[in-house]
Amino acid sequence: MTREELYRIAETWFQQQNWKPFKFQKETWKAFLQGKHGLLNAPTGSGKTYALWFPIVLNYIKKNPDYKTKHKKGLKAVWITPLRALSEEIRQSAERVTIDLDTQMTVGIRTGDTSAKARLAMKKQMPDLLITTPESLQLLLASKGYDKIFKDCTAIVVDEWHELLGTKRGVQMELAISRLKSISKQLRIWGISATIGNLDQARNVLLGPQTKALENSVMIKANVKKKITVKSIIPKKMETFPWRGHLGLRLLEDVIPIIKNSKTTLLFTNTRSQCEIWFQKILEKHPELAGEIAMHHGSINKETRSWVEQAIRNESLKAVVCTSSLDLGVDFAPVETVVQIGGPKGVARFLQRAGRSGHRPGKESVIYFMPTHAIELIEASALQKAVKQNTVEDRIPYLNSWDVLLQYMTTLAISDGFYPDEIYKEVSQTFCYQTLTKDQWQWLLNFLVMGSQSLQSYDEYKKLTIEEDGKFKVNDRGVAMRHRFQIGTIVGDTNLTVRYQKGGYIGSIEEFFISKLNRGDVFTFAGRNLEFIRIKGMQVHVRNSTKKTNRISSWMGSRLTLSAQMSELLRVELYSSYNDKKDQSKEIRSLAHIFERQRRESIVPKPNEFLIETFKTREGYHHIFYPFEGRFVHEAMGSLLGYRISLLSPITFSLAFNDYGFELLSDKPINMQQVIDNDLFTTDYLLDDLQKSLNATEMARRKFRDIAIISGMVFTGYPNKAIKMKHLQSNSQLLFEVFRDYEPENLLFQQAFTETFQHQLEEGRLRLSMLRIATQEIVWKQCQKATPFSFPLITDRLSREKLSSEKWEDRIKRMAALLMKK
């Protein structure tokens, strides 16, 4: 069958659906059938799934002319999804193609939600088309005879590649692809990405730099006109001193008409805690919406999430309050409107969420931006510009993740074993390990066989043996079993399952939250008020409660930071407050009275100015700096500056920071002129001072816990018998101290510091922001009291610190009233 005949099959199918294939879809079909690899860049809701399922099926038809009567079973394509929630939608799309084209191809899903029975069936007979996650793919590579499973595989598609790039799960994919390329010579490698800035680099990471796959690849960009309309919800009354989170729920009544006037609305929050709060408050104020509103986030059980997704499709829900669990490619045709609650902190995330509305080619996406405090309206204005300019962030890939590589090597060793020279050649062609030296490779091999230099006396760290023919293999069943339980690179707090006393499963929650509860305490989770009874094993036993509570379940690591692109856009919008009103956005115009008050007390900085404010309250001396670079950079910069100031004269600070600036609070004033004169914002000795200022060793020690778990040095426990996080921390801490004292050249020990500076503290971005400040005029304003810009920062700290028995909301209202007095 010729390619033209194959294209006609696809186009006929589209005609039957009353659709017309886009140019990018046809280009993808052509490139795939020509045997090329590639990266497809297309917006959410443009039909990118069909751009790749079709050529996969058409290629099968081409190779099997009698496909309608004869069918050769076996795995032919693997579709990788970063979220399990997406797998059902992807399966439905695949089956629609395979069934309508009258093939006998089967479609299967293998994720963490797949039952043991279904996995066993796959072990006997793999489906033709498999939808899976990076972790589940690694488990397949840990199966004996995995090469036979993949030898006839013609395609691997990595969906939502931008979500994996710049994460250790992305590194997992790089390694898996390097292996599959060697097993299947006919393998075509494709990535799909909706929103990403560094597209060329993304393709290099996916295919491997300087590889034949990269040479024989294409970049296909969809020129699909997607209209995105951003509507800011500007409060009718806005206080001059808007505190953090205060405006959020105040605007609840502005959201209700949006919900009622749309078939279905998604309300996106940035954290699971915020999701729980909004769901509860909407129902409290509007009980008539009970049964028409639901909640969706990653800690709610699968059955509930699946029910919510189906209810959206059926148009039986008016609204869903959700988190990033609904960010990506799930196909929700009926969704008309999206509401973003609070700044999304990144352009790509905002565009992704906007794309959930009008999730069809050619349909307009409508997204409302609802600020949680007034200053976030500057973010809203910046996002308006970003949408028009189609500005999106880069995703920075990992380099030399030794923990992921050690895990991968162990994975290969527990299946069929591996020969070092063969795997070294494959691994060194990946982006992450392109600088891997023979010495480093030998160190990794020695580590797995002998347990590294300082651990050679302990048999538990000797995992691999070398067989007579030079193959590296795991022959210990216990090592193999523990490794399979621990495959994966997402490390967080220990999760406990939440169940009713009589056994009904509700979801999962992190240990750190539950550890603070006493028997009888009531908390909100999954939209229900639950009374805590006990922890038994790894289960939290609860019962429903009618008591009201302000205790909302919360999760660690839930705070987002402004991206570099978003920070720059934010500063540009801030500077626009000096423009003529006709050249300002409506959001900036709505903040005119706040800017006026800010200028009365201090200044609104211009592009060539860097603002420092100081004032005194009963809490002490406040010193506030405004880089507008995001909370992670501000945490590092605040610690660095505090350390350098303490070298001039002994002083103790407490540090607070948000996305706009940071505060150094002390019991005595700083000589700010001395700070300016001594050039404390210099990048000279930056790394050395940063290490001293932040107690980088302690931060690296905590980072090492994750590295020790991923690399397999520390075992997290068996199902329902997980080891507590404090024990994992102490176990990894002992190893960290051994390496620090006796083996500082240990690659994993060094990796802990590298990741601390590059990923947690964003040292590169910190350096660039300090270089920018060095070119600006430092303006120091000695204020009489808190300014509108400083108020969210101070109240954010008060909401987290329990400085008095007075309710913090009442205290902040009183502070605002005092500040407004002339």
Side-chain angles (χ1 to χ4, degrees):
M1 194 175 286
T2 65
R3 284 188 197 139
E4 286 68 27
E5 288 172 322
L6 293 169
Y7 299 152
R8 276 198 293 275
I9 290 173
E11 289 175 350
T12 300
W13 184 87
F14 269 75
Q15 289 169 7
Q16 289 168 350
Q17 320 303 315
N18 293 319
W19 297 344
K20 185 179 179 182
F22 285 111
K23 184 184 175 188
F24 81 86
Q25 290 172 322
K26 291 181 176 180
E27 287 175 354
T28 307
W29 301 346
K30 182 180 179 182
F32 186 97
L33 292 171
Q34 286 175 343
K36 293 185 181 294
H37 313 277
L39 181 65
L40 170 59
N41 172 235
T44 298
S46 61
K48 47 191 170 64
T49 308
Y50 289 121
L52 276 159
W53 271 137
F54 257 99
I56 288 169
V57 177
L58 292 175
N59 188 52
Y60 168 74
I61 291 173
K62 180 184 176 183
K63 289 187 170 185
N64 301 274
D66 52 354
Y67 67 95
K68 291 187 179 182
T69 55
K70 291 183 180 178
H71 177 64
K72 185 182 177 183
K73 295 179 180 180
L75 186 63
K76 297 166 182 64
V78 180
W79 192 288
I80 303 294
T81 171
L83 286 181
R84 289 177 289 182
L86 305 180
S87 54
E88 185 57 33
E89 287 294 331
I90 297 165
R91 183 188 64 79
Q92 289 177 10
S93 297
E95 286 186 340
R96 196 171 177 182
V97 177
T98 58
I99 292 170
D100 288 357
L101 296 192
D102 214 14
T103 73
Q104 300 177 57
M105 300 175 83
T106 56
V107 184
I109 296 174
R110 183 188 169 116
T111 69
D113 290 334
T114 305
S115 67
K117 183 180 177 182
R119 285 199 298 270
L120 186 62
M122 281 187 196
K123 203 170 183 180
K124 295 176 182 176
Q125 180 58 63
M126 290 294 290
D128 297 294
L129 307 177
L130 177 68
I131 299 153
T132 189
T133 59
E135 292 80 10
S136 291
L137 181 60
Q138 292 287 321
L139 279 167
L140 284 172
L141 293 178
S143 307
K144 292 192 183 300
Y146 69 86
D147 57 333
K148 296 181 181 65
I149 295 173
F150 293 102
K151 67 181 177 63
D152 295 323
C153 188
T154 59
I156 182 164
V157 179
V158 186
D159 205 350
E160 309 288 358
W161 175 231
H162 58 282
E163 286 295 320
L164 293 171
L165 186 67
T167 70
K168 290 188 178 181
R169 298 176 81 209
V171 177
Q172 270 189 330
M173 283 312 308
E174 289 183 64
L175 290 167
I177 288 170
S178 75
R179 185 84 277 263
L180 296 181
K181 277 195 289 189
S182 296
I183 295 170
S184 174
K185 302 302 180 185
Q186 55 190 346
L187 187 73
R188 295 163 174 81
I189 305 156
W190 280 81
I192 303 176
S193 177
T195 45
I196 194 169
N198 51 332
L199 274 171
D200 286 328
Q201 189 179 50
R203 178 173 51 158
N204 288 356
V205 178
L206 179 71
L207 302 176
Q210 300 176 342
T211 59
K212 289 181 180 178
L214 185 62
E215 291 170 9
N216 184 36
S217 70
V218 293
M219 175 80 73
I220 296 176
K221 296 182 182 180
N223 187 21
V224 178
K225 290 184 179 178
K226 181 75 173 173
K227 185 180 180 185
I228 298 176
T229 301
V230 183
K231 299 180 179 181
S232 296
I233 300 174
I234 299 175
K236 297 176 182 68
K237 181 185 177 185
M238 192 155 41
E239 290 89 342
T240 304
F241 291 91
W243 51 89
R244 174 186 171 270
H246 175 60
L247 272 178
L249 291 169
R250 277 278 193 93
L251 293 179
L252 189 146
E253 293 303 327
D254 292 74
V255 172
I256 300 302
I258 296 170
I259 293 173
K260 292 188 173 179
N261 293 331
S262 301
K263 282 184 180 178
T264 308
T265 301
L266 297 182
L267 291 92
F268 277 106
T269 61
N270 289 335
T271 68
R272 285 169 281 186
S273 300
Q274 192 181 27
C275 180
E276 296 269 357
I277 291 167
W278 267 83
F279 179 74
Q280 285 293 323
K281 293 297 182 184
I282 289 174
L283 281 180
E284 276 180 26
K285 297 283 181 68
H286 292 272
E288 74 275 9
L289 288 173
E292 292 188 292
I293 185 170
M295 180 169 51
H296 191 292
H297 62 67
S299 291
I300 296 173
N301 65 55
K302 180 198 170 189
E303 289 72 22
T304 303
R305 283 184 279 123
S306 298
W307 176 84
V308 171
E309 292 160 19
Q310 191 56 47
I312 296 174
R313 294 184 202 102
N314 298 340
E315 301 185 45
S316 57
L317 283 173
K318 288 291 290 179
V320 176
V321 188
C322 56
T323 61
S324 55
S325 59
L326 287 185
D327 268 8
L328 307 178
V330 184
D331 188 5
F332 294 143
V335 171
E336 283 187 28
T337 309
V338 170
V339 178
Q340 169 64 43
I341 298 172
K345 309 304 175 190
V347 181
R349 186 180 296 110
F350 187 70
L351 291 173
Q352 193 80 46
R353 292 175 174 182
R356 309 282 9 108
S357 162
H359 191 61
R360 279 286 184 271
K363 295 286 184 182
E364 179 186 9
S365 292
V366 178
I367 183 166
Y368 288 83
F369 182 100
M370 203 214 70
T372 58
H373 62 73
I375 306 299
E376 277 189 335
L377 282 168
I378 304 175
E379 283 187 54
S381 184
L383 286 165
Q384 298 260 17
K385 299 276 176 68
V387 168
K388 288 177 184 175
Q389 298 165 8
N390 200 25
T391 303
V392 288
E393 289 89 358
D394 293 348
R395 297 292 177 101
I396 309 304
Y398 269 79
L399 288 171
N400 296 331
S401 290
W402 306 123
D403 52 347
V404 181
L405 182 51
L406 284 166
Q407 185 189 84
Y408 171 71
M409 292 162 71
T410 309
T411 296
L412 297 184
I414 68 173
S415 52
D416 298 326
F418 67 90
Y419 294 100
D421 290 346
E422 179 188 3
I423 300 303
Y424 172 76
K425 185 179 178 183
E426 293 174 4
V427 168
S428 59
Q429 288 185 338
T430 64
F431 187 93
C432 186
Y433 304 104
Q434 58 188 298
T435 61
L436 177 66
T437 65
K438 284 280 189 181
D439 286 344
Q440 288 168 333
W441 180 246
Q442 192 58 53
W443 186 93
L444 295 165
L445 292 170
N446 291 344
F447 182 87
L448 290 172
V449 174
M450 297 183 292
S452 90
Q453 181 184 330
S454 54
L455 298 174
Q456 290 183 26
S457 302
Y458 301 92
D459 290 341
E460 63 189 283
Y461 299 109
K462 299 174 182 178
K463 295 184 176 178
L464 276 60
T465 55
I466 307 173
E467 299 187 339
E468 288 184 8
D469 62 351
K471 180 184 279 189
F472 280 60
K473 194 92 166 61
V474 168
N475 292 316
D476 186 315
R477 288 185 64 188
V479 169
M481 182 170 61
R482 287 191 294 273
H483 180 76
R484 286 191 176 97
F485 280 132
Q486 204 156 294
I487 281 180
T489 52
I490 299 176
V491 180
D493 201 10
T494 304
N495 277 327
L496 306 175
T497 58
V498 183
R499 291 184 179 277
Y500 286 118
Q501 199 170 10
K502 294 183 179 178
Y505 174 63
I506 303 170
S508 61
I509 203 163
E510 288 178 3
E511 181 186 26
F512 97 98
F513 174 77
I514 291 295
S515 66
K516 296 183 290 186
L517 299 182
N518 295 314
R519 185 183 178 93
D521 284 351
V522 177
F523 66 100
T524 297
F525 174 63
R528 312 164 201 190
N529 282 1
L530 304 171
E531 180 185 335
F532 173 64
I533 301 172
R534 70 172 76 84
I535 295 177
K536 189 175 181 180
M538 295 299 291
Q539 297 182 353
V540 181
H541 289 183
V542 297
R543 62 167 68 98
N544 283 330
S545 175
T546 56
K547 293 180 184 176
K548 288 192 173 182
T549 179
N550 289 322
R551 196 190 296 265
I552 307 289
S553 47
S554 58
W555 287 262
M556 296 287 278
S558 59
R559 293 206 166 202
L560 299 172
T561 185
L562 285 176
S563 66
Q565 282 88 340
M566 193 68 218
S567 298
E568 188 175 348
L569 287 165
L570 181 78
R571 290 193 297 273
V572 170
E573 285 308 295
L574 178 67
Y575 304 148
S576 76
S577 65
Y578 285 98
N579 297 346
D580 290 337
K581 282 192 175 181
K582 62 182 175 60
D583 297 324
Q584 293 176 355
S585 67
K586 65 176 181 179
E587 291 85 0
I588 297 297
R589 288 197 298 271
S590 75
L591 295 170
H593 66 293
I594 291 180
F595 290 136
E596 182 187 347
R597 181 74 186 220
Q598 174 68 23
R599 291 188 181 104
R600 196 186 312 163
E601 303 290 338
S602 175
I603 66 163
V604 175
K606 295 176 181 177
N608 64 330
E609 294 174 332
F610 177 75
L611 174 62
I612 302 173
E613 294 177 347
T614 57
F615 52 88
K616 184 178 183 299
T617 69
R618 70 178 191 179
E619 292 170 339
Y621 293 88
H622 303 262
H623 314 87
I624 302 185
F625 305 78
Y626 297 97
F628 296 96
E629 279 286 359
R631 61 187 308 112
F632 289 173
V633 172
H634 294 160
E635 178 185 11
M637 192 183 294
S639 298
L640 176 71
L641 203 62
Y643 168 73
R644 287 177 171 177
I645 290 170
S646 70
L647 295 179
L648 298 176
S649 58
I651 191 168
T652 302
F653 297 110
S654 68
L655 171 67
F657 47 89
N658 64 10
D659 278 317
Y660 310 120
F662 60 90
E663 173 199 49
L664 296 176
L665 178 66
S666 60
D667 59 0
K668 58 182 180 181
I670 297 172
N671 183 339
M672 197 56 69
Q673 193 57 52
Q674 192 180 28
V675 171
I676 297 168
D677 293 343
N678 278 276
D679 190 23
L680 295 195
F681 287 98
T682 179
T683 56
D684 293 347
Y685 311 107
L686 177 62
L687 202 57
D688 188 47
D689 286 353
L690 201 56
Q691 285 182 338
K692 292 171 183 173
S693 69
L694 276 160
N695 191 0
T697 300
E698 181 57 37
M699 295 179 76
R701 182 183 280 112
R702 298 196 72 82
K703 180 67 71 175
F704 183 77
R705 182 203 74 195
D706 299 354
I707 292 169
I709 291 169
I710 292 167
S711 63
M713 296 190 70
V714 172
F715 182 50
T716 54
Y718 297 101
N720 298 322
K721 288 186 180 179
I723 295 170
K724 288 187 176 181
M725 188 53 63
K726 62 182 180 181
H727 294 150
L728 292 176
Q729 186 66 42
S730 62
N731 292 345
S732 62
Q733 189 170 317
L734 284 172
L735 292 168
F736 182 87
E737 289 168 359
V738 167
F739 295 150
R740 181 193 62 192
D741 296 339
Y742 301 103
E743 196 185 342
E745 70 280 5
N746 183 292
L747 293 182
L748 296 176
F749 177 75
Q750 293 175 356
Q751 183 186 341
F753 285 92
T754 302
E755 286 190 9
T756 297
F757 288 111
Q758 290 184 358
H759 297 281
Q760 185 170 343
L761 298 175
E762 298 191 89
E763 186 246 336
R765 191 173 155 196
L766 171 66
R767 187 180 294 274
L768 289 173
S769 63
M770 293 184 75
L771 288 171
R772 173 176 62 81
I773 292 168
T775 66
Q776 296 176 311
E777 177 190 352
I778 295 179
V779 180
W780 169 32
K781 286 291 180 181
Q782 300 180 64
C783 307
Q784 298 301 309
K785 52 192 173 184
T787 64
F789 278 15
S790 67
F791 206 71
L793 184 57
I794 295 170
T795 52
D796 186 13
R797 173 171 50 76
L798 287 177
S799 71
R800 288 180 282 113
E801 297 174 3
K802 295 179 180 174
L803 299 178
S804 76
S805 57
E806 185 178 10
K807 279 182 70 176
W808 80 270
E809 293 96 333
D810 295 336
R811 185 173 178 186
I812 289 167
K813 285 177 184 175
R814 187 170 52 76
M815 283 174 61
L818 288 170
L819 289 167
M820 287 301 294
K821 290 181 179 179
K822 297 289 185 181

